[in-house]
Amino acid sequence: MTQQGTRQGPGLASQRTAPPTRRFASVVRAGSRVTPERARSHNRALVLQELYRSEGLSRADLARAVGLTRVTISDLVADLIADGLVIELGLRSDVRPGKPATLLDINRTGFAVVALDLSYDNLFRGVVTDLDGTVQHRDQTDVTGVTGDDAVAAVAALLDRLVARAAAPVLGVGVGSPGIVDDAGTVLSAPNLGWADVPLQALLAERTDLPVVVANDANAAALAERTFGGGQEDAVLIRVGRGVGSGLVIGGLLVRGAHSAAGELGHVVVGTDGGDVCACGKSGCLETWLAIPRLQARLEAAPDAEARRAALAAAGERLGISLAPVVGALNLGEVVLSGPLDLLDGSLLESAAETIRSRTMADAFGGPAVRMTTLGRDIVVLGAAVMVLTGQLGVF
Amino acid sequence: MTQQGTRQGPGLASQRTAPPTRRFASVVRAGSRVTPERARSHNRALVLQELYRSEGLSRADLARAVGLTRVTISDLVADLIADGLVIELGLRSDVRPGKPATLLDINRTGFAVVALDLSYDNLFRGVVTDLDGTVQHRDQTDVTGVTGDDAVAAVAALLDRLVARAAAPVLGVGVGSPGIVDDAGTVLSAPNLGWADVPLQALLAERTDLPVVVANDANAAALAERTFGGGQEDAVLIRVGRGVGSGLVIGGLLVRGAHSAAGELGHVVVGTDGGDVCACGKSGCLETWLAIPRLQARLEAAPDAEARRAALAAAGERLGISLAPVVGALNLGEVVLSGPLDLLDGSLLESAAETIRSRTMADAFGGPAVRMTTLGRDIVVLGAAVMVLTGQLGVF
DNA sequence: GTTCGTTAGTAAAGGTTACTAACAATTAAA
DNA sequence: TTTAATTGTTAGTAACCTTTACTAACGAAC
């Protein structure tokens, strides 16, 4: 063989034998064989997703958007109509040549989702929504001093009442719970509710005979922000309340973590200059700077408005300090805060944003957007509803 | 309808109309319709992946592992054998009833991968490997003072030499480059090489007429650790050299970031007590504590062994401080270091591990494992090879 | 040595899926 | 009126995986 040195062109060695003709672009997760049936339900989910995002599409529109042929789309749509998930809206009234299209939409009020938020102080809240996330009914129950099995019973009772009030078949139940929740919906640890290894998903699924999904409240909130709040594909949601939690969305997918504990940011120590002692035993945890009770105490101790502003700014700075490495390492595009507007939305948020920018590499895009959620107090129940939609319809 | 109140059992409302019979577990990415052909290549990739991980499997073993029938597996294997990707090893010699199995394996030496590492000081390194990542040939080229187009030419020349030396058809080319690299393999920014918006992937693909993948060096290293180094599904790899970079693997997948800049941890400010001025203009960046030149300068300035140990421990502590929020937020199972063993593997690593543990919530699993990589200096080229295997075979 | 049970791999038939090709229906524009 | 464009359906085809049934090969028990 001749010496090629730095000669241009492909090396001869690679041409002695023909390389395999086919290329495999798909990266595959273990145990995920694709049968024709699975492929079909995947394509069904694609159609639903497209309809979910933009109502008023025709079968031909769907074919163009999804990439399947009109014939296949017609077949899939017929299935979906038969299942009651899709409805025909009538003919399109456009002025253009050709046969007028029949517009379709998801049957948005044809099914209901029941969603619960267990993360409030002494209160369980729940809603019934349609497939759009529009709240159709609310309910709540006081759980002051209620823990352990009694708290589980309170969840079940609230859930029963909500399911009874649903005006359409219930697609499933979503629950946002405080604490650490594993993939199977078992609450591994929720100190405030006195829960340890409570198989909430299994308990509620057996009781209601409905699909049930359980996840951490801040994680659910992150999903809600992604789906209903216009959140980016790479974002973190910080939930400030009695404690501090967070949910991370990376590449559009929720991060669960090695031990299902992703988002547990409240007990990470911030800075290198000490800080207050935390309930967890360490000093200077993010919670000691940012949790609402601590923040309110500082505000009450402040002599004047300027001191109050400084206290909020200091809390925001601490948040920024702890988020900067996360934003940098993950190259997040967005940081969203959820919690009391009067405390968070102002100098606290501004200070957090400025701190993050000054401590990370200001890339060509000017650092991440830092903002409040627009979803308000419903963010967790909406996230719980998203989990149901994702699990049952493949929509997200 | 009767009032249900807190009565047990499923609400009647949900039973008025039958819910849709089918459930859709699959969550779907936009634009990813599944045709039968795509399903087939997905299943092919599954078979390859299973063979890749554990050699010496029979068709029947594959059927059990993948979940497809023996018939389908036989058909897929016949395809793979025809393509030269799989070979028969002969009969299994076990002592057990039944017809002896014909063992299969990936044709590990039947194809070659060419991989480059552009992240060294004044040096481009490259290797030819087989499908196992076993290095079969090495080459390198000095690039002291070479930047811009000349550096691109040096890459191309090295690549040509390597391709010419490959003893089997080249499956593809992987490149680990310093700087920020986007999805298309364009190096958006690599100051040390004087590169900005260099379409390296396109340039090399056109020149060699081979599949080319380009990614950031630390990101590639993270993939190598995951595939060849026994890395966990949720881990971060820290690469310490002239600068400090990192690569994150979440749920087994590499994180790319909102602007393809995931892993840029070197210029995140650490702590709240100032620090040295960095080349980027800020003070107290992780690089000012951890980059090898800075570390060596501190060691030379140290009067005795104890002071040198303290300097290393201080650097490790800074690493731990900046990683703690990342480990906490993502619930990482593992932190892996890559770089000079004599500096990193000792009090620096121990100090980093201890700092991370003391600053995050010590969960029931005792915090993340913190260790050195076992892949040594080849980690980036191996990661580049993994990218090729992933892209061309769906193996990872 | 024969029979039985087990395992590996192949062959044929069948059902599902999505595709191409062709066509009817409908409307705007020439 | 004719032409072009668009929608949605029907009919037929190719690809895929499955079920069922088969042969081959082996160990164990009698």
Side-chain angles (χ1 to χ4, degrees):
Chain A
M1 215 172 86
T2 61
Q3 168 70 25
Q4 286 222 308
T6 57
R7 234 190 63 202
Q8 295 198 9
L12 291 177
S14 69
Q15 300 180 328
R16 260 185 257 138
T17 314
T21 50
R22 285 215 226 170
R23 301 298 182 193
F24 313 97
S26 64
V27 175
V28 158
R29 307 287 286 163
S32 62
R33 76 188 192 280
V34 174
T35 60
E37 188 187 350
R38 272 193 66 118
R40 174 88 165 179
S41 79
H42 179 100
N43 288 336
R44 271 173 68 120
L46 270 182
V47 169
L48 277 176
Q49 195 170 321
E50 208 63 44
L51 283 171
Y52 192 83
R53 287 209 239 256
S54 46
E55 59 183 303
L57 295 175
S58 69
R59 291 170 175 83
D61 293 333
L62 283 171
R64 283 184 288 266
V66 173
L68 294 163
T69 62
R70 293 202 305 274
V71 179
T72 303
I73 292 292
S74 282
D75 201 40
L76 288 167
V77 167
D79 263 20
L80 292 168
I81 289 178
D83 282 354
L85 285 167
V86 168
I87 51 175
E88 293 193 337
L89 295 177
L91 295 183
R92 176 184 277 151
S93 58
D94 272 21
V95 180
R96 56 168 152 169
K99 173 178 170 179
T102 308
L103 298 182
L104 304 168
D105 195 11
I106 287 199
N107 186 2
R108 291 171 196 268
T109 56
F111 294 92
V113 174
V114 173
L116 303 179
D117 178 358
L118 315 183
S119 69
Y120 274 75
D121 274 1
N122 305 320
L123 195 67
F124 289 166
R125 299 181 67 228
V127 299
V128 179
T129 76
D130 63 15
L131 296 191
D132 264 337
T134 305
V135 175
Q136 297 178 320
H137 178 67
R138 294 177 185 275
D139 202 345
Q140 61 184 53
T141 190
D142 187 274
V143 289
T144 307
V146 179
T147 60
D149 290 346
D150 294 341
V152 173
V155 173
L158 176 60
L159 178 53
D160 286 344
R161 294 209 304 272
L162 288 163
V163 169
R165 291 294 297 268
V170 175
L171 199 62
V173 177
V175 181
S177 166
I180 298 173
V181 185
D182 73 8
D183 282 5
T186 295
V187 181
L188 301 179
S189 154
N192 290 341
L193 294 173
W195 285 352
D197 292 322
V198 173
L200 196 59
Q201 194 279 338
L203 291 171
L204 300 180
E206 190 182 5
R207 182 187 185 90
T208 60
D209 206 23
L210 290 168
V212 175
V213 199
V214 183
N216 171 270
D217 61 319
N219 287 6
L223 282 179
E225 191 62 32
R226 165 91 180 106
T227 304
F228 295 122
Q232 297 185 14
E233 283 221 331
D234 295 271
V236 61
L237 183 129
I238 308 292
R239 200 166 147 70
V240 181
R242 183 152 50 156
V244 175
S246 74
L248 282 136
V249 171
I250 304 290
L253 299 177
L254 188 68
V255 177
R256 304 215 60 118
H259 307 302
S260 306
E264 294 294 321
L265 206 57
H267 294 288
V268 170
V269 176
V270 191
T272 46
D273 52 359
D276 294 352
V277 175
C278 180
C280 73
K282 302 195 293 291
S283 291
C285 290
L286 185 56
E287 274 199 16
T288 68
W289 296 97
L290 207 57
I292 297 303
R294 303 257 192 176
L295 210 47
Q296 280 173 331
R298 278 209 198 85
L299 290 179
E300 282 163 19
D304 55 21
E306 176 55 29
R308 284 192 289 276
R309 206 202 55 78
L312 290 171
E317 187 189 2
R318 292 292 156 164
L319 176 60
I321 291 171
S322 65
L323 281 182
V326 180
V327 169
L330 297 170
N331 186 218
L332 296 178
E334 200 168 37
V335 176
V336 185
L337 303 188
S338 162
L341 276 176
D342 56 327
L343 296 176
L344 303 183
D345 192 13
S347 52
L348 192 154
L349 186 144
E350 283 162 26
S351 169
E354 176 51 31
T355 304
I356 291 170
R357 286 201 195 92
S358 68
R359 294 174 76 96
T360 57
M361 205 171 62
D363 64 13
F365 305 90
V370 182
R371 62 172 177 87
M372 291 298 301
T373 177
T374 56
L375 300 177
R377 290 162 58 105
D378 281 337
I379 190 168
V380 173
V381 287
L382 288 178
V386 168
M387 295 190 295
V388 172
L389 294 176
T390 301
Q392 299 304 305
L393 304 181
V395 173
F396 79 117
Chain B
M1 215 173 90
T2 61
Q3 167 70 25
Q4 287 223 308
T6 58
R7 235 190 65 200
Q8 296 197 9
L12 292 177
S14 70
Q15 299 181 329
R16 260 186 258 140
T17 315
T21 49
R22 285 214 226 171
R23 303 296 183 193
F24 314 97
S26 64
V27 176
V28 158
R29 308 286 286 162
S32 62
R33 75 187 192 282
V34 174
T35 59
E37 190 186 350
R38 274 193 63 120
R40 175 84 164 183
S41 80
H42 179 102
N43 288 336
R44 273 173 66 119
L46 270 182
V47 169
L48 276 176
Q49 196 170 319
E50 208 63 44
L51 283 171
Y52 192 83
R53 286 210 240 256
S54 45
E55 59 183 302
L57 294 176
S58 68
R59 292 169 175 83
D61 293 333
L62 284 170
R64 283 185 287 266
V66 173
L68 294 162
T69 61
R70 294 201 306 273
V71 178
T72 303
I73 291 293
S74 282
D75 199 41
L76 288 167
V77 167
D79 263 19
L80 293 168
I81 289 177
D83 280 354
L85 286 169
V86 168
I87 50 174
E88 292 192 336
L89 295 177
L91 296 183
R92 177 183 276 152
S93 57
D94 272 19
V95 180
R96 56 169 155 170
K99 174 179 170 178
T102 309
L103 298 183
L104 304 168
D105 196 10
I106 287 199
N107 188 1
R108 293 170 194 269
T109 57
F111 294 93
V113 173
V114 174
L116 302 179
D117 178 357
L118 315 183
S119 68
Y120 275 75
D121 273 1
N122 305 320
L123 194 68
F124 289 166
R125 299 181 67 226
V127 300
V128 178
T129 76
D130 63 17
L131 297 191
D132 264 337
T134 304
V135 175
Q136 298 177 319
H137 178 67
R138 295 177 183 277
D139 201 345
Q140 63 183 52
T141 189
D142 187 274
V143 290
T144 306
V146 179
T147 60
D149 290 345
D150 294 342
V152 174
V155 173
L158 176 59
L159 178 53
D160 286 344
R161 295 210 303 274
L162 287 163
V163 169
R165 291 295 295 270
V170 175
L171 199 62
V173 177
V175 182
S177 166
I180 297 173
V181 185
D182 74 7
D183 281 6
T186 295
V187 180
L188 300 180
S189 155
N192 290 341
L193 294 173
W195 285 352
D197 291 322
V198 173
L200 196 59
Q201 194 278 338
L203 291 171
L204 299 181
E206 189 182 5
R207 183 187 185 91
T208 60
D209 203 26
L210 288 169
V212 176
V213 198
V214 183
N216 170 270
D217 60 319
N219 287 4
L223 281 179
E225 191 62 34
R226 164 91 180 105
T227 303
F228 296 123
Q232 297 186 14
E233 283 222 330
D234 296 271
V236 61
L237 183 129
I238 308 292
R239 200 166 148 70
V240 182
R242 183 154 48 156
V244 175
S246 73
L248 281 136
V249 171
I250 304 289
L253 300 176
L254 189 67
V255 177
R256 304 214 61 118
H259 306 300
S260 305
E264 292 296 319
L265 206 57
H267 294 287
V268 170
V269 177
V270 192
T272 47
D273 52 359
D276 294 354
V277 174
C278 180
C280 74
K282 301 195 294 294
S283 290
C285 289
L286 186 57
E287 273 198 19
T288 66
W289 296 97
L290 207 57
I292 296 304
R294 303 257 192 175
L295 211 46
Q296 280 174 333
R298 279 209 197 86
L299 290 179
E300 282 163 16
D304 55 22
E306 177 55 28
R308 283 192 289 278
R309 205 202 57 78
L312 290 171
E317 187 189 2
R318 292 291 156 165
L319 176 60
I321 290 171
S322 65
L323 280 182
V326 180
V327 168
L330 296 170
N331 186 220
L332 296 179
E334 200 169 37
V335 175
V336 184
L337 302 188
S338 162
L341 276 175
D342 56 328
L343 295 175
L344 303 183
D345 192 13
S347 52
L348 193 155
L349 187 143
E350 282 162 27
S351 169
E354 176 51 29
T355 304
I356 291 171
R357 287 203 193 92
S358 69
R359 293 175 78 96
T360 56
M361 206 170 64
D363 64 12
F365 305 89
V370 181
R371 63 175 177 85
M372 290 300 299
T373 176
T374 57
L375 301 177
R377 290 162 59 105
D378 282 335
I379 188 166
V380 172
V381 288
L382 289 178
V386 168
M387 296 190 295
V388 172
L389 295 177
T390 301
Q392 299 305 304
L393 304 181
V395 173
F396 78 117

